[in-house]
Amino acid sequence: MRIRDLKQHLSAIALFCYCAGSMAQRLGDPAIQWHEKYPAQMARLESMTFLPIHQWLFHDADLPHGEDPALDESGWQQVTVNYLSHPHNEPGTTSTKGWYRATFQVPSTVGGKAIAGARLRLAVHFSSDGRVFLNGGLVEQGDGRTLDPVLITDRAVGGETIHIAIRVPFHQEQSRFLGALIMVDYPNQPDPGFLKSEIQTAEAVISGFPDGRAEREKQLDRAVADIDFAALDKGNQVAFTQSLTVAQQDLRPLNAWMKQFTVRFVGNSHIDMAWLWPWTETVEVVRDTFRTALQLMDEYPGFTYTQSSVQDFQWLHDKYPDEFKEIQKRVKEGRWELVGGMWVEPDLNMPDGESLVRQILVGKRFFEQQFGVDVNIGWNPDSFGYSWQLPQIYRKSGFDSFVTQKMSWNDTTVFPYKLFWWQSPDGSKVLTYFPHDYSGTTEPVGLANDIATYVPATHFPEIMQLYGVGDHGGGPTREEVDEAVRLEQPSTVFPKAEFSTARSFFDDVEHSIADDGLKLPAWDNELYLEYHRGCYTTQSETKKEIRHNEEQLENAEKFSALSFSMLKTPYSNQQFEGIWKKVLFDDFHDVMPGSGVGNNYVEAARNLNEASLESAQLLNGSLDS
């Protein structure tokens, strides 16, 4: 279980509502909702898996050693912090920045189950940056979205005292402490939380397939009935543990049935070039994200990673050549997949056709020169709509497939397809897939819901899950990869799971079309997003300057080419490409539509003015010649 999933972990009902209700609504399938048959049993199992920490002492001034367990806490204010909620401050507390401290004593049982021998981990959540101290030592710091739970002990003993200190730095304007809890799991014995996940996973998958459902539901009923909570109430820990083993055995037939379906885990990170931060910050986001992916490849032999946006790799090439060389090695091994083939992930409503072609020309050229890879998968999961001409541009540029998920955000019309052919007016088409999200997780129950929704809708037995923290980078966390490794095990009651690439998924689809007669629908229109508003009007000066640059650059190239052919005046492809890169950057889907912070448009004005001056000089020189 990951930190980002712990809000759902707090109650079985909340988990059900998230995974079933909102999932089905978002995908446009209100009829596909599994209804929790065993809420009491699942809540009981869940109660054995976490220990909340609600009460904290708070000090709203910075201290040199606020983590010291011996620190005098007199005068500190008591506050209540429920996990993933803003702190409820007592009267007189005006700041959520500062120090939080809690002293926690490990109980002998949790939810009635003996805690001896269990593994305890501390999960802390920040809205931004923070520091975590355990028994006086710094154990974690950084962005709250990417922090993994901290190991407290591999073998818990009741009565242990744990001192926890949290520091929210004052320099982080947006940072808030959103709570902490202790996660409990049982690595050397049947795990109640693991069993709960398997039961809910099976229940969710079963809900999507009416044929044979009654018999499979009976099998699930038997497994749940095996759990002997009465023994636990009597204090018979051995009998309760044995009942968990029996329940897992009764789930085996369901496991065999679910293995006909496949979940392909595609690790990735959506990195916005500039959105709520300037592009200069993104350079370091790229380095940190890519470094994390490389570390995970060292630790997990099966782990794969997929990344778009050529500008990211150019930054790494220029500033961090050692990491760039490591990526070149991983690309050759087939573990680091390059997709997208565009300089950035641009807006796909407003740039002119030449800009989109240049996105691909400049991007693919870099990938071919630096990695020896000819990218053929279009990748733009976050643009605010997609031009009808895009399949034609993609096809003529050597692409055969396209990935986005943005149409699931529609607020009016439910888009009817998830796997389909997208066709341009000239008949060009690309194989298109809508994953559930671009920054999903490896949480099994949500994935089971996707199986129950996607497979009947597409008639294809696989889903591709894009997982990893996105927008401000981050990528897959170690917790997510650990969960994927667990789901890969044949004995885990879950569909077949494997680390994968987007290319492997599309290859399977193409083979199914060719060999199994899979018929896919076609969409012969634009992909119009009914959600983000003002894309054609907001920050209109930036839009005007982009269009001016597009027109002037094309004219400069035309007349420079004429001047070269007629008079042999100098012509520099490299110079034109450098100017195009400036324009292509500001095509980005949070710059050109106007959805970023104000500083980005100051930067865009400077950047586009430089491009305009450079192309004007080339244009005027060629006309003079």
Side-chain angles (χ1 to χ4, degrees), residues 563-597:
S563 180
F564 172 77
S565 64
M566 296 168 62
L567 304 171
K568 303 304 178 186
T569 56
Y571 183 96
S572 172
N573 277 318
Q574 185 176 6
Q575 190 174 9
F576 276 113
E577 182 171 296
I579 302 170
W580 266 112
K581 285 178 179 178
K582 294 177 179 174
V583 179
L584 298 179
F585 183 89
D586 286 320
D587 284 343
F588 180 69
H589 66 257
D590 279 311
V591 174
M592 191 174 187
S595 53
V597 293

Side-chain angles (χ1 to χ4, degrees), residues 270-275 277 308-309 342 344-351 359 379-386 404-406 409 438 471 529 532 535 543 546 583-596 600-601:
H270 182 63
I271 302 177
D272 286 322
M273 298 293 102
W275 178 32
W277 48 85
S308 71
S309 297
M342 290 185 169
V344 298
E345 292 180 10
D347 175 82
L348 289 171
N349 289 311
M350 292 174 289
Q359 287 279 356
W379 193 277
N380 197 321
D382 199 31
S383 182
F384 311 153
Y386 304 86
T404 185
Q405 57 81 54
K406 200 69 173 183
W409 293 38
Y438 61 69
D471 291 343
L529 179 65
H532 292 308
C535 293
K543 295 172 170 54
I546 290 173
V583 179
L584 298 179
F585 183 89
D586 286 320
D587 284 343
F588 180 69
H589 66 257
D590 279 311
V591 174
M592 191 174 187
S595 53
N600 293 332
Y601 302 99

Side-chain angles (χ1 to χ4, degrees), residues 144-160:
R145 302 172 312 145
T146 58
L147 297 181
D148 285 322
V150 177
L151 179 65
I152 298 173
T153 177
D154 271 326
R155 296 187 64 82
V157 177
E160 287 181 289

Side-chain angles (χ1 to χ4, degrees), residues 349-360:
N349 289 311
M350 292 174 289
D352 71 2
E354 188 63 28
S355 278
L356 297 182
V357 170
R358 295 303 176 113
Q359 287 279 356
I360 295 171

Side-chain angles (χ1 to χ4, degrees), residues 117-136:
R119 180 173 64 170
L120 306 183
R121 290 177 294 162
L122 175 65
V124 181
H125 193 70
F126 300 101
S127 61
S128 183
D129 191 34
R131 308 288 183 270
V132 181
F133 298 84
L134 193 63
N135 295 327

Side-chain angles (χ1 to χ4, degrees), residues 194 265 299-303 442 467 478-492 497-499:
F194 187 17
F265 287 120
E299 296 177 35
Y300 299 87
F303 173 73
T442 51
Y467 72 100
R478 189 169 283 99
E479 275 291 294
E480 290 172 336
V481 178
D482 283 340
E483 183 74 272
V485 169
R486 182 176 72 86
L487 295 176
E488 272 192 312
Q489 302 306 310
S491 60
T492 300
E498 57 185 74
F499 291 108

Side-chain angles (χ1 to χ4, degrees), residues 91-151:
T93 302
T94 60
S95 173
T96 55
K97 295 179 176 61
W99 285 92
Y100 295 81
R101 290 164 59 96
T103 300
F104 181 83
Q105 188 171 52
V106 178
S108 59
T109 62
V110 53
K113 181 169 174 56
I115 205 169
R119 180 173 64 170
L120 306 183
R121 290 177 294 162
L122 175 65
V124 181
H125 193 70
F126 300 101
S127 61
S128 183
D129 191 34
R131 308 288 183 270
V132 181
F133 298 84
L134 193 63
N135 295 327
L138 177 66
V139 292
E140 198 163 43
Q141 62 182 347
D143 191 326
R145 302 172 312 145
T146 58
L147 297 181
D148 285 322
V150 177
L151 179 65

Side-chain angles (χ1 to χ4, degrees), residues 504-518:
S504 296
F505 173 81
F506 282 116
D507 285 347
D508 284 355
V509 176
E510 290 169 357
H511 291 156
S512 186
I513 292 171
D515 301 336
D516 303 328
L518 176 65

